[in-house]
Amino acid sequence: MKIKTLFNILLVIAALVLAVLATRSILRPEKYKALYNQRAEEIRVRLVTIRAAQAVFRNEFKKYAGDIDSLVDFVNNGVVHIVKTSGDIPEGMSEEAAFKAGLIKKVVETIPARDKILESEPNINYENLRGFEFIPHNDGRKFQIQLGKLASKTYEIPVYRIDVSLDEILANLDRSINAQGTNAFRRFLNRVFYGGLAHETQFKSKYRPIWLGSLTDAGTSGSWE
């Protein structure tokens, strides 16, 4: 009787183990996908902010910021100069003649760079301008800007590119999973089902890096567009 009972207990344990393994095999790739998509979206939001800041920077200085710290300083402390025309042009008079006659003149106004950036890109807000230089979940690692120039017949076109590798997108996965536990039991389940997920290279091969801009053409599109 004792042997039969022990055998039944072992069968139950074996069944539970198999159930856990089967559930793990189903949940793990979906969890990996969810984490990748979540992080990719966080990165896209920051790259869109960088693109808007770079566009305003180029309009002001006729070039792109060569490093992320310079761009951050421009966003936080820089100003943009806006040339406006003051006065009225009489009917039948050209603008050039009105300028010469002193009827109109150019007035240069300055506004904070961050205000111009927010005005130029409706999909970002003040919150997006805080910490946009950091790659999410990378312990303070910053985006790296590569600069280049394209030669045309009459002038050179400045270009830039930012690459975010898969390793950077998926950094510290296990830490993120553990942080999602709201209580001890949830954290235990996370360890059982998702422990070591960062080392599942067969999942990683299904996903792609993210980039913004190009060094071979004048576009500033992102890999997600």
Side-chain angles (χ1 to χ4, degrees):
M1 188 67 178
K2 290 182 178 179
I3 294 177
K4 185 177 181 180
T5 301
L6 179 61
F7 181 72
N8 288 338
I9 293 173
L10 291 175
L11 281 179
V12 171
I13 293 174
L16 288 174
V17 170
L18 290 175
V20 169
L21 292 176
T23 304
R24 273 171 56 98
S25 67
I26 296 171
L27 294 180
R28 288 170 76 81
E30 290 303 313
K31 185 68 168 181
Y32 203 97
K33 178 181 179 180
L35 286 169
Y36 173 87
N37 288 339
Q38 173 193 329
R39 287 167 171 232
E41 178 59 24
E42 292 176 18
I43 290 169
R44 283 194 290 268
V45 168
R46 298 193 180 188
L47 290 179
V48 168
T49 302
I50 290 173
R51 178 168 59 190
Q54 282 282 47
V56 174
F57 188 99
R58 180 187 176 184
N59 190 60
E60 181 68 17
F61 300 109
K62 312 308 177 188
K63 63 180 181 179
Y64 289 118
D67 60 84
I68 197 69
D69 290 332
S70 297
L71 193 61
V72 171
D73 182 65
F74 174 68
V75 170
N76 292 331
N77 306 305
V79 296
V80 173
H81 297 83
I82 300 176
V83 179
K84 294 184 177 181
T85 301
S86 174
D88 297 311
I89 303 175
E91 185 176 351
M93 181 179 287
S94 68
E95 183 179 38
E96 182 180 359
F99 269 118
K100 289 181 178 180
L103 298 175
I104 61 173
K105 60 181 179 179
K106 289 184 178 180
V107 178
V108 179
E109 297 181 357
T110 61
I111 63 171
R114 62 172 51 234
D115 291 348
K116 185 62 177 178
I117 293 165
L118 294 171
E119 176 188 317
S120 67
E121 178 51 70
N123 293 323
I124 64 175
N125 53 43
Y126 279 105
E127 183 64 30
N128 298 133
L129 296 178
R130 288 202 290 265
F132 69 87
E133 70 270 29
F134 297 108
I135 305 173
H137 310 286
N138 272 256
D139 299 324
R141 184 177 179 84
K142 298 179 180 181
F143 292 102
Q144 300 296 310
I145 300 174
Q146 306 171 66
L147 287 186
K149 291 182 180 179
L150 300 177
S152 70
K153 292 183 179 179
T154 55
Y155 59 93
E156 291 184 322
I157 303 171
V159 292
Y160 73 94
R161 181 179 171 104
I162 298 173
D163 287 286
V164 187
S165 69
L166 265 181
D167 287 337
E168 290 171 325
I169 298 171
L170 299 169
N172 300 310
L173 274 187
D174 288 338
R175 183 197 301 174
S176 295
I177 292 169
N178 292 334
Q180 292 175 356
T182 56
N183 53 53
F185 180 69
R186 176 64 184 277
R187 290 194 294 271
F188 170 75
L189 290 180
N190 282 340
R191 285 194 293 270
V192 170
F193 291 115
Y194 307 121
L197 189 64
H199 305 295
E200 299 280 11
T201 55
Q202 72 272 26
F203 300 152
K204 183 178 179 180
S205 62
K206 297 179 180 179
Y207 301 98
R208 297 289 178 266
I210 297 173
W211 48 260
L212 173 71
S214 173
L215 297 179
T216 57
D217 64 64
T220 58
S221 297
S223 56
W224 62 93
E225 295 173 315

